[in-house]
Amino acid sequence: MPELPEVEHMTRALAGWLAGGTLGPPEARDPGFVSGDLAALGGLRVTGCRRRAKYSVVEAGPLALVLHYRMTGKVVWEPHAGDRAPRARLRLPVAGRPAVLFLDTRRLGTAWVLPSADLDAFFADRKLGPDAWPGARTGAWWAERLGGTRSAIKVALLDQRRVAGVGNIGACESLWRARIDPRARPAALSGADWQRLAEAVAAWVEGTLAAETQPEIHWVTQGGPNPFAIYGRGAAPCPRCARPLERLRQSGRTTTWCPGCQTGGRP
DNA sequence: AGGGATGTTAGAGA
DNA sequence: GTCTCTAACATCCC
């Protein structure tokens, strides 16, 4: 599930659980998702936790642990109840504190242990663009980052090389909030469209963060009402104009949108 | 039962 | 180089 705000939330949780603590010997179940010398983390003191795009970075002096949650990964505190045995499990003991677990039922998530000095190269290899949040992300900033592509704006938003952190939900929700047609070509967007997009992405990130009230993340699939304005709502009436929502397929991903009020840049 | 799902990556082809 | 599509990863949910 995790997109930028969920990864931000989990990274903050990691910081609260790990910062200043001394790691014990890590243990991995079905460790094909881990690369690098996991055991070497044992005995190191965690100096900081930070997020880059949809990655969490745990820095422990000379070594860093990088986590990517893909579709179903998450981090929790031990003991942890309620999950069926996840396919992937990485346990990080912390002296005098509860252990931290990285769990992933599907094992699509990945963990890397690498020298801290190699972090910049690690992210450079992935060709990630600048983070969508935080920072001064004005309409002009978005126009510069995405304006040079001929792809539809929805597809451009998902391209992590242009701007990192926006996923399928964030793209759909932000375009709806900004009243931009997901099929619009970036060249067709006005300054006002870009400005609304800038505000919409920030509102999506900050609203999602504000909705997480516990250190352990709450997953949409754990039940409860759909928290999104339009994502996953099929042909329900648009919450803004009441016209039935529609779905599109763009570059292999489903776009939910409202043809009634998402008119910015309309082709 | 089958299809789709919040992500990334590689490869093919236009 | 840009862009699109497909497959793969593995599991769950409708």
Side-chain angles (χ1 to χ4, degrees):
Chain A
M1 303 176 69
E3 300 183 13
L4 188 155
E6 290 84 4
V7 177
E8 175 71 18
H9 180 81
M10 289 195 281
T11 306
R12 291 177 185 180
L14 284 170
W17 296 334
L18 294 173
T22 299
L23 298 173
E27 308 156 24
R29 175 201 295 166
D30 203 351
F33 68 99
V34 184
S35 65
D37 187 359
L38 191 60
L41 289 171
L44 298 182
R45 183 170 169 278
V46 175
T47 46
C49 298
R50 60 189 173 89
R51 177 190 59 77
R52 171 76 172 100
K54 301 175 191 172
Y55 298 78
S56 290
V57 180
V58 176
E59 292 177 291
L63 293 182
L65 172 67
V66 180
L67 300 174
H68 197 294
Y69 307 91
R70 288 282 195 91
M71 299 282 273
T72 50
K74 61 180 173 178
V75 288
V76 299
W77 238 357
E78 193 180 54
H80 191 261
D83 282 289
R84 258 166 264 187
R87 173 89 188 255
R89 181 180 186 274
L90 172 62
R91 182 173 184 270
L92 297 173
V94 192
R97 305 183 195 179
V100 171
L101 305 176
F102 172 84
L103 306 176
D104 189 348
T105 54
R106 284 167 68 177
R107 209 191 68 165
L108 297 177
T110 309
W112 300 260
V113 179
L114 69 167
S116 297
D118 293 351
L119 278 169
D120 287 347
F122 175 86
F123 288 115
D125 283 349
R126 282 160 178 75
K127 300 180 166 47
L128 295 170
D131 270 59
W133 182 95
R137 298 338 188 188
T138 61
W141 185 86
W142 284 97
E144 166 158 9
R145 295 306 310 172
L146 303 185
T149 177
R150 294 187 298 278
S151 305
I153 185 63
K154 159 70 164 25
V155 176
L157 273 171
L158 289 180
D159 185 345
Q160 303 298 301
R161 295 167 304 180
R162 299 185 184 279
V163 172
V166 181
N168 203 40
I169 291 178
C172 293
E173 293 283 301
S174 298
L175 289 171
W176 177 80
R177 182 185 274 258
R179 303 196 306 278
I180 294 171
D181 190 315
R183 305 165 301 175
R185 301 294 140 176
L189 295 181
S190 68
D193 290 328
W194 288 114
Q195 183 58 34
R196 289 197 312 279
L197 180 63
E199 293 165 6
V201 172
W204 159 64
V205 173
E206 290 162 16
T208 304
L209 277 172
E212 294 288 347
T213 56
Q214 301 294 321
E216 288 196 4
I217 193 144
H218 178 272
W219 300 100
V220 172
T221 49
Q222 283 178 337
N226 177 346
F228 306 118
I230 62 163
Y231 181 85
R233 294 194 184 277
C238 172
R240 188 165 49 212
C241 77
R243 181 154 162 182
L245 300 172
E246 294 186 5
R247 294 219 240 181
L248 287 174
R249 199 105 185 137
Q250 295 180 286
S251 291
R253 314 296 301 278
T254 298
T255 302
T256 302
W257 71 299
C258 176
C261 58
Q262 286 181 246
T263 54
R266 174 153 294 177

